Amino acid sequence: MTIPLTHLFSIVPGSSDPIYRQLVDQVRRLVAGGQLAPGETLPSVREVALQLTVNPMTVSKAYGLLETEGVLVRRRGIGMAVAGQPSDKHDATERANLLRPTLERAAREARELELDPATVIALFTHILKEQP
C-alpha cells in the first residue's frame, strides 16, 4: 500500500534544518509512531520531488540515509518500503527522543520571546489536546 503524499510530508523551506533532514526525521517519526507499518511503500523520489517542489537528489539523499539506517528497504521494481521491524523496537523512550530536537527548538524560541515556562507548557498542553 502506498501512503498518500499529501498526508506524509510537511516541509518548511525556510527552516534551519535542510530539507533532506526534515524528510528523514519525519519518516523516522512516522515509523516509530506506527503510522507507517513494515512493508508499506513510500512514494517514488520523483513523485515526492514534484509534489514538494524540491530537487530529486534531496529526496534521494533522504531515502538513501533511511535505507542505510535500516528504516527503509529498496524493493526492486517497486521502490522504497518500510523495513520489517518488530513493533516493540520503538518504545516510548525512543519515540520521545525523536521529539526532543523539536522541543529544544521550541524551548529556544520561547526563551527568545521571553515567555515563562508555565505559559509555554499550558500552550503545548492545549495544542496536544487539539484534533489534527
Side-chain angles (χ1 to χ4, degrees), residues 28-29 31-34 87-100:
R28 283 185 192 142
R29 285 192 298 270
V31 170
S87 59
D88 63 349
K89 181 176 191 277
H90 300 291
D91 64 5
T93 303
E94 184 178 347
R95 292 191 315 267
N97 285 336
L98 290 170
L99 182 60
R100 185 177 182 87

Coordinates of all heavy atoms in Angstrom, one line a residue, residues 28-29 31-34 87-100:
R28 N 11.2 8.8 10.2 CA 11.6 8.1 11.4 C 10.4 8.2 12.4 O 10.0 7.2 13.0 CB 12.8 8.8 12.1 CG 14.1 8.4 11.5 CD 15.2 9.0 12.3 NE 16.5 8.9 11.6 CZ 17.4 9.9 11.7 NH1 17.2 11.0 12.3 NH2 18.5 9.8 11.1
R29 N 9.8 9.4 12.5 CA 8.7 9.6 13.5 C 7.5 8.8 13.0 O 6.8 8.2 13.8 CB 8.3 11.1 13.6 CG 9.3 11.9 14.4 CD 8.8 13.3 14.8 NE 8.6 14.1 13.7 CZ 9.5 14.9 13.1 NH1 10.7 15.0 13.6 NH2 9.2 15.7 12.1
V31 N 7.4 6.0 11.3 CA 7.7 4.6 11.5 C 7.6 4.3 13.0 O 6.9 3.4 13.5 CB 9.0 4.2 10.9 CG1 9.4 2.8 11.4 CG2 9.0 4.3 9.4
A32 N 8.2 5.2 13.8 CA 8.3 4.9 15.3 C 6.9 5.0 15.9 O 6.5 4.3 16.8 CB 9.2 5.9 16.0
G33 N 6.0 5.9 15.3 CA 4.7 6.1 15.9 C 3.7 5.1 15.3 O 2.5 5.1 15.7
G34 N 4.1 4.3 14.3 CA 3.2 3.3 13.8 C 2.4 3.7 12.6 O 1.6 3.0 12.1
S87 N 7.3 -4.3 16.2 CA 6.7 -3.1 16.7 C 7.2 -2.7 18.1 O 7.2 -1.5 18.4 CB 5.2 -3.3 16.8 OG 4.9 -4.4 17.6
D88 N 7.8 -3.6 18.9 CA 8.3 -3.2 20.2 C 9.6 -2.5 20.1 O 10.2 -2.0 21.1 CB 8.3 -4.4 21.1 CG 9.3 -5.5 20.7 OD1 9.7 -5.4 19.5 OD2 9.5 -6.4 21.5
K89 N 10.2 -2.4 18.9 CA 11.5 -1.8 18.7 C 11.4 -0.3 19.1 O 12.4 0.3 19.6 CB 12.0 -1.9 17.3 CG 13.4 -1.3 17.0 CD 13.8 -1.6 15.6 CE 15.3 -1.2 15.5 NZ 15.5 0.2 15.2
H90 N 10.3 0.3 18.9 CA 10.1 1.7 19.1 C 9.4 2.0 20.4 O 8.2 2.3 20.4 CB 9.4 2.4 17.9 CG 10.1 2.2 16.6 ND1 11.3 2.8 16.3 CD2 9.8 1.5 15.5 CE1 11.7 2.5 15.2 NE2 10.9 1.6 14.6
D91 N 10.1 1.9 21.5 CA 9.4 2.1 22.8 C 9.2 3.6 23.0 O 9.6 4.4 22.3 CB 10.2 1.4 23.9 CG 11.6 2.0 24.1 OD1 11.9 3.0 23.4 OD2 12.4 1.5 25.0
A92 N 8.6 3.9 24.2 CA 8.2 5.3 24.5 C 9.5 6.2 24.6 O 9.4 7.3 24.1 CB 7.4 5.4 25.7
T93 N 10.5 5.7 25.1 CA 11.8 6.5 25.3 C 12.3 6.8 23.9 O 12.7 7.9 23.7 CB 12.8 5.7 26.1 OG1 12.2 5.4 27.4 CG2 14.1 6.5 26.3
E94 N 12.3 5.9 23.0 CA 12.9 6.1 21.7 C 12.0 7.1 20.9 O 12.5 8.0 20.3 CB 13.0 4.8 20.9 CG 13.6 5.0 19.5 CD 13.7 3.7 18.7 OE1 13.5 2.6 19.3 OE2 14.0 3.8 17.5
R95 N 10.7 7.0 21.1 CA 9.8 8.0 20.4 C 10.0 9.4 21.0 O 10.0 10.4 20.3 CB 8.3 7.5 20.5 CG 8.1 6.2 19.7 CD 6.6 5.9 19.5 NE 5.9 6.0 20.8 CZ 5.6 5.0 21.6 NH1 6.1 3.8 21.3 NH2 4.9 5.1 22.7
A96 N 10.2 9.4 22.3 CA 10.4 10.7 23.0 C 11.7 11.3 22.5 O 11.8 12.6 22.3 CB 10.4 10.6 24.5
N97 N 12.7 10.5 22.3 CA 14.0 11.0 21.8 C 13.9 11.6 20.4 O 14.6 12.5 20.0 CB 15.1 10.0 21.8 CG 15.5 9.7 23.2 OD1 15.5 10.5 24.1 ND2 16.1 8.5 23.5
L98 N 12.9 11.1 19.6 CA 12.7 11.6 18.3 C 12.0 13.0 18.3 O 12.2 13.8 17.5 CB 11.8 10.7 17.4 CG 12.5 9.4 17.0 CD1 11.5 8.4 16.4 CD2 13.6 9.7 16.0
L99 N 11.3 13.3 19.4 CA 10.6 14.5 19.6 C 11.5 15.6 20.2 O 11.3 16.8 20.0 CB 9.4 14.3 20.5 CG 8.5 15.5 20.8 CD1 7.9 16.1 19.5 CD2 7.4 15.2 21.7
R100 N 12.5 15.2 20.9 CA 13.4 16.1 21.6 C 14.0 17.3 20.8 O 13.9 18.4 21.2 CB 14.5 15.3 22.3 CG 15.4 16.2 23.2 CD 16.5 15.4 23.9 NE 17.2 16.3 24.8 CZ 16.9 16.5 26.0 NH1 15.8 16.0 26.6 NH2 17.6 17.4 26.7

